[in-house]
Amino acid sequence: MKHTVQTATSLSLSALLALLSSLPSIAQLPAVRTPGATPTPNRPRVPPPPLPGSSLPPSGNSGSVTQEAAYTLGSGDRIALEIFGVPEFSREYQVLVDGTLNLPIIRSVSIQGLTLEQAANVITRRYEPFINVPVVTVTLMVARPLNIGLAGEVTRPGSYKINPTREGGGVKFPTLMEMLQLAQGVTSAGDMRNVQIRRPRRGGPEQVTTVDLQDFLETGNLRQDVTIRDGDTIFVPTARALNTQEVRQRASANFSADITKPIGVVIVGEVNRPGPYTVFASDVRSSNQQTELSFVSIDQQQGAVVGLPTITRALKIAGGITTEADIRRVQIRRRVRGGNEQTIMVNLWDLLQKGDATQDILLQEGDSVIIPTAATVDLAEVSQVANSSFSPNAISINIVGEVIRPGALQVRPSTSLHQALLTAGSFNQLRAKKDKVELLRLNPNGTVSRRTIEVDFAQGLNPNNNPTLRNNDVILVARSGYTRVADNINRFVQPIAGAVTGISAVSGVFTGFQTTINAFQNLFLGGDFERRNQLRQLREQRQDRQEQREDRLLERELERQDRLQQAEDRRLQLEDRRLQLEDRQRQIDLENRRIQIEEQQLLLQNQQQQMQPQQIQPTTP
């Protein structure tokens, strides 16, 4: 960028002669006064060309984007000074730290805060006593490093030092959007319609200009991309009201905050796994054990953001909402710049019913998501919410006892008690107690609630007979009375049957041993075989009688065990009856006590009523 300013003074010939005669001492300066340095009379002044790029108003305390303001010189700039006809003084100069130039003859000249045209005029006036009709040209060769401040709703506020670059033979200065990119973008809480550029002015108040970057996103108006100068401060204020549609629109802009950067959020309330989470940019994975929120980054080929860190995705990785969550009053608490807290209300029910995508708000670093508890739960809405993307994919329950397939099950969040029993294969028809089951539930305070529910598969979804299950619920299916008695008998009989089996085995061993001895005697020892046969028959008869006695003893023992079991069952029934009578007696005693207390209270009231007239009766003088 090159700016040339030429200043010429038109004088008539008589005026020129008068001027030369009035300055005889200047004629003694041959390096300065040159016959060929006399300018052409009536030479027009050439105005500086306008700077490219968008602009700020040249004056005033505030304004909108109008025309480009001229570049102002300062410490560190390198300029080329050319005085027509005086090549000895024409060369490059460095602006000193105090904003001055050290020039021949006139020495120090302050140009701090002056434009190129103003600087040329000042130098011209200083050389007029020494040079006849000086024609001064000032050109910016190397611009000084720019000190620019960024504050407000940007990812990395602070002071930045930028070196302007040379491009196309000129100097290129950074623009507003380039500076926002350098500060890693505007956060989702920033007000893009009221971005302020504050520029100091020499000898006056600072100039404040408001830029509407949202207009650039909607219309592509490059006039909003203002050129930034040394000493400018860019301030992005916090939006008073969050416009979720605009936030989504600018999420893919290159001057917006990087959505692929990990952010930390806190999710509490009616979710299955409350706590802090870290958001990363990758494919979404959802389960009740997940501790990291992941989302898809910008799709470079499609040119659109296909996975943003929204509140529904955050709820997903927190295990999903519970059945008692109030999705109409979800809160997002956001700490904005300046230490203030901003509360954003979200109605996810409108998202499900009306398709209002603006309710799926983008989260940012440090947000806290609060899911309140609903005062009343509408069972008609439970199934709709359970099928949403911010509900868990599945919940874990346990069914123990007399069902076909007991154990842990993964079921849908809206699963009812009846559906869970059918998923486990329903009741064991021979052993289960089919009229009632018990539901065990872990409460948030660490206690366990236990409910007895009457099972009726004809009942629909209701809190009494067919409630909706929660994560980690346990269903207990008890044994029937007949099954319990049979199991107790089997427990007593099993040891005796084992003993009898052992005795029979030992007896068989001895019988086989005796048979072997007899065969040995017959083959090798000889003898009275008939007598031996008789004796063997007697022994076998004795053995048969012994086995019959043992069988009778076993039968009597079994009968005795049956009588004992029946007596035990009878005793248990009597004990249950006794406990019922005791409970009934306690209830009667409590009722009698209550009646006595009421009678005493009535008696006391009567006494007070009788004593009251005597207390308020006036005394006779």
Side-chain angles (χ1 to χ4, degrees), residues 96-118:
L96 302 180
V97 69
D98 58 352
T100 63
L101 289 175
N102 191 12
L103 301 178
I105 299 177
I106 61 176
R107 299 299 180 185
S108 179
V109 178
S110 177
I111 61 172
Q112 178 71 31
L114 301 181
T115 64
L116 297 175
E117 180 181 4
Q118 293 170 348

Side-chain angles (χ1 to χ4, degrees), residues 193 212-221 246 249:
R193 294 189 179 275
D212 188 355
L213 289 181
Q214 189 65 33
D215 177 62
F216 166 77
L217 293 178
E218 296 174 355
T219 64
N221 183 10
E246 292 184 357
Q249 183 180 4

Side-chain angles (χ1 to χ4, degrees), residues 128-240:
E128 282 178 352
F130 306 99
I131 302 176
N132 292 328
V133 193
V135 180
V136 179
T137 301
V138 178
T139 304
L140 179 65
M141 302 304 294
V142 179
R144 66 186 180 276
L146 308 181
N147 290 318
I148 302 171
L150 285 100
E153 291 294 338
V154 291
T155 304
R156 295 191 62 188
S159 178
Y160 292 84
K161 190 173 184 178
I162 309 298
N163 290 317
T165 59
R166 298 193 64 84
E167 191 174 282
V171 180
K172 182 181 181 301
F173 294 93
T175 63
L176 172 61
M177 295 183 188
E178 291 174 346
M179 291 306 303
L180 293 178
Q181 293 176 32
L182 190 62
Q184 298 186 4
V186 181
T187 66
S188 58
D191 186 358
M192 301 290 285
R193 294 189 179 275
N194 295 287
V195 179
Q196 296 180 4
I197 300 177
R198 301 171 180 173
R199 179 168 296 173
R201 292 191 300 176
R202 183 179 184 182
E206 68 177 6
Q207 174 183 296
V208 180
T209 302
T210 302
V211 180
D212 188 355
L213 289 181
Q214 189 65 33
D215 177 62
F216 166 77
L217 293 178
E218 296 174 355
T219 64
N221 183 10
L222 282 175
R223 289 169 56 84
Q224 305 294 340
D225 195 12
V226 179
T227 302
I228 303 301
R229 301 293 175 78
D230 183 40
D232 285 356
T233 299
I234 302 172
F235 177 72
V236 182
T238 303
R240 296 182 179 179

